[in-house]
Amino acid sequence: MTAVQKGNGKLGRPGVPLIDGIDKVTGRARYTADLEHDDALVGRIFRSSVSHGEIIRLDVSKARALEGVIAVVTGEDCPHTYGVLPVAMNEYPLARERVRYRGEPVAAVAAIDAETAERALALIEFEVRELPAYYTSEDARAPGAVLLHEKKSGNLEREVHHEFGDLRAGFAAADLVREQRIHCAEVNHAQIEPHACLAEYDSLSGRLTVQSVSQVGYYLHLMLSRCLEMDTSRIRVIKPFIGGGFGARVEVLNFEIVTALLARAAGGKVLMRLTREENFLTHRARPQTDIKLKLGMRRDGKITVCECEVVQRGGAYAGYGIVTILYAGALLQGIYDIPALKYDGYRVYANLPPCGAMRGHGSVNTRHAFECVLDRMARELGLDPFAVRRANLLHAPMRTLNGLTVNSYGLGECLEKVERASGWRERIGKLPRGKGLGMACSHYVSGAAKPIHWTGEPHAVVNVRLDFDGGVTALTGAADIGQGSSTMVAIAVAETLGVALERIRVVAGDSAVTPKDNGAYSSRITFMVGNAAIDAAKKLKTMLVEAAARKLEANPADIECVGETFQVHPGGQSSLPFAEVVKVALAERGPITVSGTFTCPEESQGGKHRGGAVGSTMGFSYAAQVVEVSVDEATGVVNVDKVWTALDCGHAINPLAVEGQIEGSTWMGMGQALSEETHYLDGLPAHASLLEYHVPTIVESPPIEVHIVESHDPYGPFGAKEASEGALAGFPPALVNAVANAIGIDLDELPVTPDRVVEALVERRRQQRLAATRRAAS
Amino acid sequence: MLTDRPEPRKRLLRLRLNGRWREDAVAESELLVDYLRDVARLTGVKTGCDGGECGACAVLIDGEAMPACITLAVRCEGRSIETIEGLVEQGRPSRLQRAFHEKLGTQCGFCTPGMIVASEALLRKTPRPSDQEIRAALSGNICRCTGYVKIIESVRTAAEAAP
């Protein structure tokens, strides 16, 4: 694939395969557990068997004395808390004084082999004075409940109360007001690569090297420094290949710090591989959520007011909780025109594994409720679901009531695409019983405009190097976790420089080499790192053009690049090949390294109200989708026959990767809609395997027809926005709306499992019988 | 504390691995996945679950796709084992490997070796599979990235590329 010269973002069309794809398909790619570890000790974690209690006794002496055990660490070895939000670090890598969920790490061992490590765990003596444990938001919030954390009355981690616009006027203007309660089960990322960490401590130099599955190497670096009381300069964090993230690894995880603690205690190398069950215990995913949503609507479908209450069961520790509960309210906006809005959010502590960020962070469950209620009200008013969405579209550029900037907006076009592609107008209402169509819309941020750790630095930095070999190396801290971000960086640099993609090499995620990056979260990489890559490449290009001009004795303004040839415009009689230009440029100053940066301006960083920065972004992606289902009324089984998804990603830098992201996020929404849920028995996860936690297999996964919409964002790299998360939230409501269309039943709970469908059908029959009996009696 | 742990019983295992015969002393309890990863250093064979749930460890045993994580190494005596690494011929990726790369049948890549190995078994038996046959053949392999759309496309493309 060769580059198109002009900076028009055309490189890559119809798309380029991932630059690291060959390594993946040949089995060469090394993930954390594949790294050389012959000389490594085996790490294992001892976990709490009770949900809530005070630690009375922890005796590791017998474990320590076992032959082959090299190190044992406990909470004594780390008196520092860690966490992703500077304001909410309330978790120890290994519990101290108290345990708050079943499966919480309490101690860890490093031994010469797995069997010895397991035997050592069995020798650890652990006594706890049990405290009452709470597994539901309701129980945890009940008056008199024991507090999980001091000063957090009602076991509330955070309460949010936001109000914008004139609510009373909104209700007065409404022709129809409806209120609905919606319940969404907790789900898990279930990324296929289990968590793993390889840590090496060199006692002689006092240096620590950690290779881990993290999406946020920089935060890991900071937390290792904090928890191990080590100078950051003595720590190196390297990202190997990563087998998916979806948010599972966007905060530092306990096992990463524990592995480093073990390596230091052992004075060597420790490999920690978590089981799938431990992955579910580590959790950090989308919380169980109860939503009460009230909408006011005019007869023509225009929304006049929205009131929303959200309760999230956040688990035992803070994690990203504050951000999640803020997102849930903030992202009610930025997609439709809502003149008045009230949001009340409650993030609750409970004695369960901590929740965190998961693809579509914070937005998914409230979007689900909103799109379901919108559909039901449309039905009552005799309006088409598409018409109701169209009655509420925004017009970019604009600023929402809560201060979010909308700079580009392709939702209208998304609606048109899926409406036409699905044959909606011809088919809706004409399908046989048991078959149905449903639709919904969604959106997501292209990077949180305000970084979590405010340092004053640019929000993204990419370094580009050029040396004697003529190879261009882009150095980025951005974590490619399979989404193709390194490929995006390569395309952005090649495109801007006007050189062949093969000339670009990307080195990513090694703190000793690559510039700091905040990480792979909030879909920030394409927008921020992409812009920084373009900036760096532009600077390099200026240097090369100047060098060519000197050699050709021309004005730099007259130098034109055609392929990898620099020539004098017009005519191009005198020209230089790329290799020659490199020689000239290097002769002057030696090998070149330039830095490109990107920062979201302050006006894009949200409202000034408390928590107003959450939800703010330079560019929202928008999506619309139609889902077609078949419902078996005897068994309650819902089959998804086909999905049409359109997503406005501003501009598709790599259309192939964009398609892959849209398909993957749509499908992940299907998992949450149809089959995925966690289930705890007195705090014990009963779902902790890939057999019990029902990720859809290829058999029940439908064809997904993708339509890319390009609204050309004014600030995105080549006009691009995110493409990895925006489509997810539309699937669950589109599915529930399709089921309603198929069998006339509105489901208020996710996931739509056969038992829930059957229960709803039985309930309807019961209601019909009661009504008939009443009619007969009267 | 000293322990009196009995040494595990070992056996000499002879098998054909990616075309070459080899012999290793392996414990009777050793799983094929551990033998392949730790002894033969074929880390393309992945572990994604706690046993038989995800398909990431699929290898070909006499041409049949099997999960290496629930297969004892000693059960492979005298048999032919092929892993993802063995599908590369003289540095050239197989048609399935090429198709998974070009059609983006791989994203994070962790399920990919198992997917390709299971697809290889399918194409050897059924050179022109229907979508339904592809779905059936890959029903034991979980992918969390792609939604399977491009995986099916990759297998189809590889089948069409067959001589």
Side-chain angles (χ1 to χ4, degrees), chain A residues 440-633:
Chain A
C441 298
S442 52
H443 68 326
Y444 203 65
V445 302
S446 305
K450 200 167 198 171
I452 303 166
H453 288 258
W454 195 86
T455 57
E457 292 167 272
H459 295 175
V461 176
V462 169
N463 291 346
V464 171
R465 277 185 67 228
L466 176 68
D467 212 329
F468 72 98
D469 59 346
V472 177
T473 305
L475 298 144
T476 172
D480 194 323
I481 57 172
Q483 82 281 45
S485 66
S486 289
T487 305
M488 182 280 299
V489 168
I491 295 172
V493 171
E495 165 75 5
T496 307
L497 279 176
V499 300
L501 188 59
E502 290 74 17
R503 193 175 283 286
I504 315 295
R505 190 178 282 128
V506 179
V507 174
D510 179 347
S511 67
V513 181
T514 57
K516 163 198 150 181
D517 188 79
N518 284 329
Y521 66 87
S522 79
S523 271
R524 57 175 287 284
I525 294 184
T526 291
F527 206 98
M528 299 194 194
V529 178
N531 268 323
I534 290 172
D535 185 43
K538 274 185 182 163
K539 287 175 181 162
L540 180 59
K541 174 119 188 195
T542 302
M543 290 178 178
L544 294 175
V545 166
E546 279 167 2
R550 272 198 306 280
K551 183 78 177 175
L552 297 170
E553 296 177 345
N555 189 328
D558 292 333
I559 298 292
E560 186 187 56
C561 303
V562 179
E564 295 195 339
T565 304
F566 291 63
Q567 61 186 34
V568 182
H569 181 80
Q573 282 90 344
S574 46
S575 66
L576 281 178
F578 187 79
E580 287 301 312
V581 179
V582 172
K583 270 187 196 163
V584 181
L586 264 54
E588 194 103 321
R589 46 179 299 162
I592 299 171
T593 299
V594 290
S595 237
T597 66
F598 179 75
T599 295
C600 300
E602 185 143 1
E603 61 268 24
S604 70
Q605 295 182 356
K608 296 289 168 236
H609 53 283
R610 188 176 182 224
V614 174
S616 70
T617 182
M618 294 280 288
F620 284 105
S621 69
Y622 292 95
Q625 58 193 293
V626 171
V627 171
E628 182 171 346
V629 298
S630 304
V631 186
D632 183 331
E633 290 191 63

Side-chain angles (χ1 to χ4, degrees), chain A residues 24-25 30-31 33-34 38 65 67 115-116 188-189 276-277 659-661 663-664 676 690 696 698 701, chain B residues 1-3 5 37 41 43 46-48 50 53 84 97 101 107-109 135 143-145 147-148 150:
Chain A
K24 293 172 183 173
V25 298
R30 294 277 177 269
Y31 299 77
D34 306 333
D38 270 4
E67 188 185 338
E115 202 189 330
T116 308
N188 183 272
H189 319 87
R276 179 54 63 178
E277 183 182 20
E659 269 178 29
Q661 288 304 312
E663 287 162 3
E676 294 179 30
L690 292 174
I698 198 168
S701 298
Chain B
M1 186 193 289
L2 279 172
T3 54
R5 199 178 346 151
R37 287 179 56 88
R41 310 280 179 151
T43 53
K46 303 295 184 219
T47 301
D50 299 344
E53 303 161 15
I84 186 72
Q97 289 171 318
H101 173 55
Q107 283 187 25
C108 84
R135 286 175 194 276
C143 168
R144 193 56 163 161
C145 296
Y148 305 106
K150 294 198 185 306

